[in-house]
Amino acid sequence: MADTTTPAAPGGSVITPKAPKGRRSDYDQTLANDITATAELIQAALSDAAVLAALSYSEEELREGLALQEAAQKAFDARQNAQGAASAKRLARDTLLKKVMDEFTAFRTTVQNSFPPAARTPLGAGGVVPTDLQKRITLMRGAYTTAQTADFAPTLAKRKLSAAVLTARLAEVDELEKLSREFRAADKSATAATQARDEAGEAMRKWTGKLRKQAKSDLRGQPELRAKLGL
């Protein structure tokens, strides 16, 4: 049940696919409930001498199950943290991406109004802006660097695109590239954490299912003991 998404981010960049939010949250809540229920089931068995005596599971086996529950809880928490980190990186990237693209759109308009068609391409204003984020970054970096050369700088400075402004724009492009790398790394970590969470949860669920089935058989005719285990 690993998450998978791929919406287009602002500016046409691609984000790792995810399941619809409602379905993800439903699964998360169900697993959280199962983790809690497993802990309560095992603790109830371990803490009641009569139940423990009637069960065919030994205390050692029950503690092995508790270790599986604890591993599932740890993996669940790690996945939540990884998802939160990836979401924060995504938000930071997309927020800066919108600002950078708004500025670059205005820059292209200025270039198109200030220079003949033949001079626009080196300034990133001679064609269609690519949808791929890295290609956009490359285009913007080249455009702002070229804009500071002698052939273009004087004219652009008159349009409030001074060397200082263009240098600041380049810094934003560098930061955008950095945030994009950080998001990809965080998203990869979140995907791995989701897989680890699902595997740990499945191992716990299989073990718990066997315990429940065995306990129902072991405690046949002892409704008071079964009730202590919620069976």
Side-chain angles (χ1 to χ4, degrees):
M1 287 259 338
D3 287 344
T4 54
T5 71
T6 228
S13 57
V14 174
I15 298 177
T16 306
K18 287 186 183 173
K21 184 176 181 181
R23 189 166 57 200
R24 281 203 323 276
S25 60
D26 288 347
Y27 179 80
D28 292 348
Q29 187 59 59
T30 297
L31 181 56
N33 292 343
D34 288 348
I35 290 171
T36 299
T38 294
E40 292 174 347
L41 173 66
I42 297 173
Q43 293 293 358
L46 287 171
S47 63
D48 192 292
V51 171
L52 194 57
L55 283 178
S56 57
Y57 273 58
S58 67
E59 181 176 347
E60 181 181 1
E61 287 177 304
L62 291 172
R63 294 199 181 282
E64 288 173 357
L66 192 59
L68 289 176
Q69 183 272 337
E70 290 169 350
Q73 181 67 69
K74 183 177 179 180
F76 183 92
D77 293 342
R79 187 264 182 182
Q80 294 298 97
N81 291 335
Q83 283 291 117
S87 295
K89 290 296 183 183
R90 182 203 300 269
L91 178 60
R93 182 205 62 180
D94 291 351
T95 299
L96 182 57
L97 176 58
K98 183 180 186 308
K99 181 177 186 293
V100 167
M101 289 310 304
D102 286 346
E103 291 172 344
F104 188 59
T105 297
F107 171 81
R108 279 168 54 89
T109 299
T110 299
V111 168
Q112 290 164 356
N113 288 335
S114 303
F115 299 100
R120 296 173 187 171
T121 298
L123 296 172
V128 177
V129 176
T131 58
D132 179 78
L133 178 56
Q134 188 56 50
K135 290 181 179 179
R136 287 187 173 200
I137 288 171
T138 299
L139 178 67
M140 290 185 288
R141 182 176 285 130
Y144 289 143
T145 299
T146 302
Q148 297 185 62
T149 62
D151 290 340
F152 306 107
T155 299
L156 292 173
K158 295 176 182 178
R159 301 291 181 269
K160 298 183 179 180
L161 289 168
S162 64
V165 170
L166 294 171
T167 297
R169 298 280 181 86
L170 280 169
E172 288 180 337
V173 171
D174 289 343
E175 178 65 14
L176 176 60
E177 187 172 42
K178 174 176 172 288
L179 289 174
S180 179
R181 286 196 306 269
E182 290 176 351
F183 167 71
R184 289 196 300 271
D187 191 59
K188 184 177 180 180
S189 295
T191 298
T194 296
Q195 181 175 346
R197 187 270 319 257
D198 293 346
E199 290 173 355
E202 184 62 21
M204 180 202 71
R205 282 169 162 167
K206 285 182 177 179
W207 186 93
T208 305
K210 291 178 180 179
L211 173 62
R212 288 182 181 278
K213 183 176 181 180
Q214 187 63 51
K216 287 178 181 178
S217 177
D218 291 341
L219 303 179
R220 292 195 296 280
Q222 301 183 71
E224 70 286 355
L225 297 184
R226 290 181 61 167
K228 290 180 178 181
L229 297 184
L231 301 176

